[in-house]
Amino acid sequence: MNKHFQHDVLIIGSGAAGLTMALQLPKHLQVAVICKSELNEGSTFYAQGGIAAVLDNQDSVDSHVDDTIAAGANLCHSDAVKFTVENSRNTIQWLVDQGVQFSRNTDEQQSFHLTKEGGHSQRRIIHAADATGRAVSETLSQRALEAPNVHIYNQRVAINLIMDNERCQGAYVLNRNTDHVDVFQAKFVALATGGASKAYLYTSNPDGASGDGIAMAWRAGCRVANMEFNQFHPTCLYHSQAKSFLITEAIRGEGGRLLLPNGERFMERFDKRGELAPRDIVARAIDHEMKRLGSDCVYLDISHKSPEFLLHHFPTVKARCLELGIDITRDPIPVVPAAHYTCGGVMVDSRGRTDVANLYAIGETSFTGLHGANRMASNSLLECMVYGQSAAADIAAQHASAPEPTTAAVWDESQVTNSDEDVVISHNWDEVRRFMWDYVGIVRTDKRLQRALRRAKLLQKEINEYYRNYKVSNDLIELRNLAMVAELIIRSAISRKESRGLHYTLDYPETDSKAIDTILDPAIKD
């Protein structure tokens, strides 16, 4: 049976951005939070490194801003960077007040331990050992569960946004427990669904990172920007049983060395910063060496540090590696690059507002201008919470005068049947991820991109026909969104006739003197 839910605010996504927004909204507002799976199953939970913030007296806002713009290959929006960094200290204090237990030094003041990561000129990464995302996710989830005005809906997958007179007023949502599609309506809707790294065959992201929010916003009429900049994390664990396990950048920040199979260091040949160069440079260097040598991986060695140091700073990495027979106190860790972060997304302003009235986008789903052509390490969680807070404040200021949504029609399933060809979904899913990895990966060419675009368009025709004729499922919804976002990534990459940051093409290896965003508008047909 289809159900109808009414709230003041609907938040689609339960990671750091969505939960921050839910907890920052006024307590008299009724808030629905839609979880694709369960709480603590998004990308936030698996983030290891930490949160970049200006907390040390030797650091400064200007230094953090300069580092971010440099890492972003001068494509960052300086106003967005400054806005985010200026709010970093207050954001960390809010997390501490919520109960997040960050790692501390052993001095008398029990000051926070700050580490250093690629692209940063100062130690400014506050962390909870090597499981910062887990500490943040579990704490905010607990606070949300305790909040009487926050209602958590697990096992729900948003399908489409509900529009009325160019105003967003809710979403159609599949209940995975009942297989029925329910209507969720609200005065305000926020997309906090994360990125689209599942478009690639190899990724550090959990299975839900299928670009749902970006695709829904595009279909609703929102512009997207800089979708060609997909960050490949340089160091994911290479092991047949590891799946998507990330080796935190903090290991390189604490002196980890990247090695070829023969034990030779190589990063100095590519950048004077060595292992602490920004992620785009390190990932390309690893990709180059693997292809040059025909090697399946390179190695990350931190064994010169004491066992006590490694256990204290990297307990999660140490334990997982040990499960797979790798003792990081003695052995180098086999690593490969993998798709990690979507730097582009739905265009928003400093309050998280999109092109569509009453629709917000926050976190990795959004394009704020912070990351430019390459996200600097540990700026992502900071962005989630800064913009989650600013969006909540904007909704609080507007809610009283906002009109109530008109009652939406129920989801019509009268013309569809149950599928007996689910194999089509799995085959198409696999094809999208393979051609994106092969043709739209770390190194690109016009020929590869055009080949990928033809495949993406053909697959979307097949998927949309399937979508029209059969009942929706979680896999079909994700595949439909993934194929659409894949096309947006490819179109953005084709339009950029230069190499900058994460977008490197052999046909245009130089960087233009002027940095310009790539903006796609659904109102303009290609």
Side-chain angles (χ1 to χ4, degrees):
M1 179 178 178
N2 304 92
K3 295 182 179 180
H4 188 283
F5 297 90
Q6 184 77 44
H7 298 84
D8 294 303
V9 183
L10 170 63
I11 301 173
I12 304 174
S14 58
L19 292 181
T20 296
M21 183 179 186
L23 294 171
Q24 293 275 2
L25 285 165
K27 303 307 178 190
H28 67 276
L29 298 184
Q30 297 301 305
V31 182
V33 177
I34 299 297
C35 308
K36 182 182 276 190
S37 180
E38 305 289 333
L39 280 173
N40 297 319
E41 278 300 316
S43 293
T44 296
F45 183 84
Y46 297 98
Q48 294 178 10
I51 305 169
V54 180
L55 302 171
D56 190 271
N57 291 333
Q58 303 300 313
D59 200 3
S60 68
V61 168
D62 288 344
S63 175
H64 191 168
V65 168
D66 291 345
D67 289 347
T68 298
I69 292 174
N74 295 312
L75 194 60
C76 305
H77 295 194
S78 57
D79 56 343
V81 179
K82 189 173 183 181
F83 173 75
T84 306
V85 174
E86 285 180 339
N87 282 284
S88 63
R89 184 184 289 268
N90 288 339
T91 295
I92 298 301
Q93 186 58 56
W94 179 75
L95 288 173
V96 172
D97 292 342
Q98 299 305 304
V100 178
Q101 297 295 310
F102 291 110
S103 296
R104 294 181 180 269
N105 294 310
T106 56
D107 54 27
E108 290 184 8
Q109 293 79 25
Q110 287 285 292
S111 57
F112 292 120
H113 180 268
L114 303 177
T115 190
K116 189 177 182 182
E117 294 180 345
H120 293 274
S121 61
Q122 302 288 333
R123 282 184 171 265
R124 63 168 68 99
I125 314 302
I126 188 170
H127 61 101
D130 61 348
T132 308
R134 178 172 183 166
V136 170
S137 182
E138 289 182 342
T139 301
L140 297 188
S141 294
Q142 186 59 40
R143 294 291 169 268
L145 290 169
E146 295 168 352
N149 67 316
V150 177
H151 309 276
I152 309 294
Y153 295 88
N154 292 322
Q155 301 295 331
R156 301 304 211 283
V157 187
I159 306 170
N160 280 330
L161 297 173
I162 298 172
M163 302 294 294
D164 180 54
N165 293 322
E166 299 184 347
R167 178 171 61 94
C168 184
Q169 58 170 11
Y172 289 108
V173 178
L174 172 68
N175 184 334
R176 296 173 68 181
N177 295 313
T178 66
D179 284 335
H180 289 299
V181 177
D182 299 325
V183 174
F184 279 79
Q185 290 197 263
K187 287 185 177 182
F188 300 93
V189 178
L191 298 168
T193 58
S197 286
K198 213 64 185 178
Y200 288 92
L201 185 60
Y202 302 110
T203 174
S204 66
N205 285 196
D207 289 341
S210 49
D212 301 337
I214 297 170
M216 285 189 289
W218 175 262
R219 289 194 291 265
C222 294
R223 292 172 299 161
V224 299
N226 288 3
M227 290 297 296
E228 68 270 36
F229 297 115
N230 309 102
Q231 186 173 79
F232 290 80
H233 197 289
T235 56
C236 278
L237 180 60
Y238 178 73
H239 193 282
S240 59
Q241 299 173 34
K243 197 179 178 183
S244 304
F245 189 76
L246 187 72
I247 303 298
T248 173
E249 188 158 324
I251 283 186
R252 284 180 282 131
E254 295 295 341
R257 303 161 181 163
L258 283 166
L259 307 175
L260 297 177
N262 65 1
E264 175 190 349
R265 292 181 72 178
F266 61 91
M267 273 309 305
E268 291 286 350
R269 299 204 310 268
F270 295 89
D271 193 283
K272 64 182 180 181
R273 291 166 289 187
E275 282 81 0
L276 287 179
R279 288 177 176 175
D280 60 324
I281 296 172
V282 180
R284 272 201 306 276
I286 294 173
D287 181 71
H288 173 83
E289 291 300 305
M290 287 171 57
K291 289 176 178 174
R292 181 178 71 85
L293 297 170
S295 175
D296 292 331
C297 64
V298 297
Y299 296 86
L300 179 60
D301 186 20
I302 191 69
S303 62
H304 52 281
K305 291 287 188 178
S306 71
E308 294 76 20
F309 178 91
L310 297 177
L311 180 61
H312 179 70
H313 287 279
F314 307 115
T316 307
V317 171
K318 186 176 186 298
R320 181 60 177 141
C321 286
L322 207 55
E323 289 174 2
L324 301 172
I326 303 165
D327 183 352
I328 69 172
T329 67
R330 298 184 303 176
D331 307 320
I333 307 166
V335 293
V336 293
H340 181 59
Y341 192 86
T342 306
C343 289
V346 183
M347 294 186 70
V348 299
D349 61 15
S350 63
R351 289 168 284 187
R353 298 189 297 189
T354 70
D355 295 330
V356 171
N358 297 358
L359 178 64
Y360 295 73
I362 50 177
E364 194 176 350
T365 304
S366 69
F367 168 78
T368 64
L370 171 64
H371 304 305
N374 177 37
R375 176 178 70 85
M376 190 167 69
S378 292
N379 270 349
S380 55
L381 286 177
L382 176 63
E383 179 188 42
C384 286
M385 289 167 288
V386 167
Y387 281 85
Q389 181 174 355
S390 67
D394 192 63
I395 289 174
Q398 295 188 68
H399 182 268
S401 59
E404 294 289 343
T406 56
T407 302
V410 297
W411 183 259
D412 184 7
E413 293 183 340
S414 62
Q415 304 300 313
V416 297
T417 62
N418 287 316
S419 169
D420 58 357
E421 296 182 333
D422 282 357
V423 67
V424 174
I425 296 177
S426 62
H427 283 187
N428 285 355
W429 179 283
D430 185 62
E431 184 171 356
V432 169
R433 299 182 68 204
R434 285 186 180 277
F435 76 63
M436 287 296 289
W437 183 262
D438 291 339
Y439 303 145
V440 200
I442 295 173
V443 177
R444 301 163 178 175
T445 67
D446 280 349
K447 185 177 181 180
R448 295 174 192 168
L449 293 173
Q450 290 293 344
R451 186 175 293 145
L453 183 61
R454 288 193 294 271
R455 291 304 306 145
K457 288 185 173 181
L458 181 59
L459 276 175
Q460 282 190 83
K461 289 182 180 178
E462 295 177 6
I463 294 164
N464 287 333
E465 181 180 353
Y466 195 96
Y467 175 79
R468 287 193 297 269
N469 290 298
Y470 297 108
K471 287 185 177 181
V472 294
S473 65
N474 177 71
D475 288 346
L476 177 57
I477 294 166
E478 290 187 333
L479 175 62
R480 178 178 178 237
N481 292 333
L482 206 64
M484 173 172 284
V485 173
E487 182 184 340
L488 297 178
I489 293 170
I490 298 163
R491 285 173 54 190
S492 298
I494 289 172
S495 68
R496 186 167 291 279
K497 305 301 184 183
E498 63 162 349
S499 289
R500 184 183 296 273
L502 299 163
H503 175 74
Y504 183 79
T505 169
L506 296 176
D507 292 307
Y508 306 98
E510 303 300 320
T511 301
D512 290 346
S513 58
K514 190 174 182 180
I516 301 174
D517 291 326
T518 302
I519 298 174
L520 300 181
D521 189 337
I524 302 173
K525 304 301 180 183
D526 68 317

